[in-house]
């Protein structure tokens, strides 16, 4: 388990917004809802494969 995975779990628990790059597209102010068994990050509008997420940032804003 890498450090980004742990930070993401903490952001989900604390209900913080996240920003990241996914397949060369920037996503900002995303609401992470849960991580499933297959490392899929479920958000309010869609889901992302955790392995393809780059430059993960946990924002101070809460939802």
């Amino acid at each position: 388990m890498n450090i980004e995975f742990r930070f993401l779990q903490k952001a989900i628990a604390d209900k913080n917004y996240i920003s990241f790059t996914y397949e060369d597209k920037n996503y900002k102010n995303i609401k992470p809802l849960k991580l499933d068994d297959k490392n899929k990050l479920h958000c309010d509008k869609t889901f992302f494969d955790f392995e393809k997420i780059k430059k993960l940032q946990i924002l101070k804003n809460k939802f």
Side-chain angles (χ1 to χ4, degrees), residues 2-18:
N2 63 11
I3 192 76
E4 288 180 339
F5 190 78
R6 299 284 302 241
F7 279 129
L8 185 57
Q9 287 178 327
K10 180 79 169 131
I12 293 170
D14 292 347
K15 296 187 177 185
N16 288 61
Y17 284 102
I18 60 173

Side-chain angles (χ1 to χ4, degrees), residues 19-31:
S19 293
F20 55 87
T21 303
Y22 185 81
E23 294 181 346
D24 298 329
K25 291 184 181 179
N26 292 328
Y27 293 91
K28 296 182 180 180
N29 294 331
I30 303 295
K31 291 182 185 179

Side-chain angles (χ1 to χ4, degrees), residues 17-57:
Y17 284 102
I18 60 173
S19 293
F20 55 87
T21 303
Y22 185 81
E23 294 181 346
D24 298 329
K25 291 184 181 179
N26 292 328
Y27 293 91
K28 296 182 180 180
N29 294 331
I30 303 295
K31 291 182 185 179
L33 301 177
K34 68 175 185 171
L35 279 167
D36 65 7
D37 299 344
K38 299 174 186 170
N39 287 340
K40 298 279 186 192
L41 173 63
H42 293 269
C43 298
D44 56 340
K45 297 180 182 174
T46 186
F47 65 92
F48 300 96
D49 186 14
F50 180 73
E51 303 298 322
K52 296 179 183 178
I53 292 177
K54 306 288 183 209
K55 298 181 184 178
L56 177 66
Q57 293 180 338

